[in-house]
Amino acid sequence: MEELIKEIKKNIIEVLNLEDLTPEDIENDAPLFGEGLGLDSIDALELIVMMEKEYGIKLKNPAEGKEIFKSINVMAQYISDHRTK
Amino acid sequence: MYFLADNIISPLGNTTELNYQAVAAGRSALRHYPAADAAVPGACPAGAFPEESVSLEPYVAARFSAGQLHDIEINGLTRFEALAVQSARQAIDQAGIDVSAPNVVFILSTTKANIDSLRTGEESDEAFIPSAAAEHIAKYLGFTTKPLVVCNACISGVAAIITAKRLLDAGFFDQAVVCGADVLGRFFLSGFQSLKALSPDECRPFDIERIGLNLGEAAATIVFSTSRSRFRVEDGAIRNDAFHISSPSKNGEGAYLALQAIHEATFHDDLSFINAHGTATMFNDQMEAVAISRAGLSDVPVNGLKGFFGHTMGAAGILETIMSKEALLHGQILATRGFEETGTSVTLNLANVNRAASKKRFIKMISGFGGGNAAVLVHSENRDCISSAKIDHNECAINTHHHIILDSRSVKLDQEPIACHECGRNLLVELYKKYISDYPKFYKMDPLCRLGLVASDLLLQAVSDIPQAVILFNHSSSSQADRSFWATVSDPDESFPSPAHFVYTLPNIVTGEIAMRHGIHGETSFYILPDRDEGFINKIVNSICREKDFVNALVGWIDYPDDEHYLADLRFIRKA
């Protein structure tokens, strides 16, 4: 799980162009949206693309993302439970 | 400015009359289309549509049939160009004007023109750039003046009408042919699918169960003239939300300001209806309802036509203005197809059946990516009380207060060089880190927006007040972002369309980014020209400065063809 968390953080920084951040700056429990990293609705859609491209997880409804992208921990759990690649 | 002639070509017919009859009779162009599935040969009927227009997901849209596409075809022109030519030619013939005269201007409203030629194009091929298409169309039709492309995302059509009005009111031209068009291909379909904005069923504007929009293809043309006729464009305004590049503002700020700018209390009792954008996305329709209510217009009948035509993008503002003008002529308010139960926090005066109306004015409003909102007021005048056309040939005096020139190797503010070492793409990062540094969104932007953000920030650091408007021009549109997005789509086995890249394929996003950064709620406009024609640019800027409430603006040239040849030449100007 440690490895996966590190990888997810790296992927997020890359696909969302969070140039000023390093994986260490992202807390595992902090919310990704709103107060946390200040991500917006396009970022959420971009994360949906990342889920499919990197882990083979297809989210049909963007509203599902709300739950899954709550924090790095929640995301990592969801990915390890549902990944197809 | 007056309506002289018009035309609509949509899947419902190839004249305004046929389109009006179809919609008045409740006929829709929306159809279900299956996904092109590699595993199921023939899932999409072979040969029915151009190869680039097949999609990986099933969708609902308003598309031309194979037979209609065949009728539109013109040898030597692309599908997009031929569609625009067919529509413009009908309107021009009907108007009986000589388009080769120097007092006639051609204005093309489009979001992506020939974008699907990017699929086959070489790196250096510029056919996909909107100004190339505009030149082909204008030449084919016989224009001798330079074509102007209004590229303001979804609001382009209404913005083009407003641009024409200003150029004619200022006396720069006597007639304007305003043509809007877009065609559906893989670029659009995959982009909107990545934004999760498409409804899998027929769209339901303003309804409680609306879940998204349907795309549509069409062309629509209006020939405008300074000579008097029955229908007049009385007023028009463009305002920005300064909220988000792809989500409308929660309080409908830009749309409210646009409505407020064109609506005077004296017209209120004479307003037949408001034709809304009504895309049937959750956020757009809610925003429009709030804006209409804030403008004190909730009692005025509202309608939306996307249930008949889909969202026809570059054509939408023109097509829906023509349909609304016809409705005014026929004493009708057209139905909002797909609407059943109010689904906005404010109740609007909507109906899914045609209603009778006898008043003399309507408002067409529209909103789009980049935070832009526009509205026009159209008046049906009695023959005996037609007011005189207001042509004011006096140029408006403009002063430049500050000036920045930023290219791939150097930057000068008011002729003084700013210290920097890097060049190309890295120069923008260096300038951002050194002189701005507090806006990490910079890193998310495409090259054109990065250039716009850095140049406007450096320029506005020298200015004590915030500009009221942002008016930008270029040649290459958003070619860098177009290629980046296409790279995420083009491989059929590894197609993961990027929503972030797609949004930046609208060049006017740079005006929206600047508006957001500085809280600018005035006009944001983006124009594309065949070349950097200062005379033409000055005419357009001058015609904007003549607006009654104009004070100051950020204006200029901003082009990013590649990392070595970019240029931002921006000015902070004030009305003298």
Side-chain angles (χ1 to χ4, degrees), chain B residues 189-357:
Chain B
L189 286 165
S190 49
F192 275 95
Q193 280 168 354
S194 78
L195 289 173
K196 311 279 180 204
L198 299 184
S199 165
D201 286 305
E202 294 182 16
C203 68
R204 309 193 56 174
F206 297 101
D207 189 82
I208 191 152
E209 288 184 19
R210 70 184 182 279
I211 46 171
L213 58 83
N214 305 136
L215 292 169
E217 43 190 6
T221 308
I222 307 176
V223 179
F224 289 111
S225 169
T226 50
S227 314
R228 294 170 198 182
S229 67
R230 177 155 180 186
F231 291 96
R232 182 161 81 100
V233 179
E234 257 179 337
D235 209 346
I238 302 170
R239 297 290 183 268
N240 201 287
D241 284 337
F243 173 71
H244 191 270
I245 56 170
S246 65
S247 298
S249 114
K250 301 273 182 281
N251 63 356
E253 188 67 13
Y256 157 71
L257 291 171
L259 286 173
Q260 201 190 37
I262 63 160
H263 172 250
E264 287 175 27
T266 47
F267 299 155
H268 193 107
D269 293 337
D270 205 20
L271 211 46
S272 189
F273 60 91
I274 298 169
N275 178 246
H277 191 30
T279 57
T281 64
M282 198 48 90
F283 293 118
N284 175 80
D285 296 5
Q286 166 63 19
M287 177 281 288
E288 285 192 299
V290 171
I292 289 168
S293 156
R294 282 183 69 195
L297 296 166
S298 355
D299 59 324
V300 177
V302 173
N303 72 348
L305 300 173
K306 300 292 191 286
F308 298 102
F309 296 101
H311 185 348
T312 55
M313 302 167 285
I318 299 166
L319 184 153
E320 292 166 16
T321 298
I322 297 171
M323 291 295 291
S324 298
K325 180 215 64 169
E326 286 296 303
L328 208 60
L329 185 67
H330 288 84
Q332 273 196 318
I333 301 164
L334 292 167
T336 301
R337 186 175 179 277
F339 171 78
E340 275 171 30
E341 187 185 343
T342 292
T344 52
S345 67
V346 183
T347 302
L348 295 177
N349 183 348
L350 284 148
N352 56 13
V353 291
N354 296 334
R355 291 178 275 180

Side-chain angles (χ1 to χ4, degrees), chain B residues 126-138:
Chain B
E126 289 204 336
F128 73 93
I129 291 175
S131 55
E135 279 192 294
H136 294 157
I137 296 163

Side-chain angles (χ1 to χ4, degrees), chain A residues 16-17 19-20 40 42-43 46, chain B residues 244 246 443-444 498-500:
Chain A
L16 302 186
N17 294 307
E19 207 98 350
D20 286 345
D40 70 2
I42 301 180
D43 294 320
E46 205 61 56
Chain B
H244 191 270
S246 65
Y443 293 111
K444 293 175 180 281
S498 157

Side-chain angles (χ1 to χ4, degrees), chain B residues 363-379:
Chain B
I363 288 174
K364 165 68 201 149
M365 63 189 285
I366 200 157
S367 302
F369 285 169
N373 302 268
V376 282
L377 178 68
V378 176
H379 187 194

Side-chain angles (χ1 to χ4, degrees), chain B residues 3 37 102 139 146 172 212 231 233 270-271 332-333 348 410 421 425 428 438 470 484 494 548 552 557:
Chain B
F3 287 69
D37 188 342
K139 193 175 161 206
K146 249 175 219 174
F172 293 129
F231 291 96
V233 179
D270 205 20
L271 211 46
Q332 273 196 318
I333 301 164
L348 295 177
S410 65
H421 305 95
R425 197 174 278 232
L428 297 178
D438 63 345
V470 181
S484 306
E494 278 288 304
K548 53 187 180 296
N552 57 23
W557 183 263

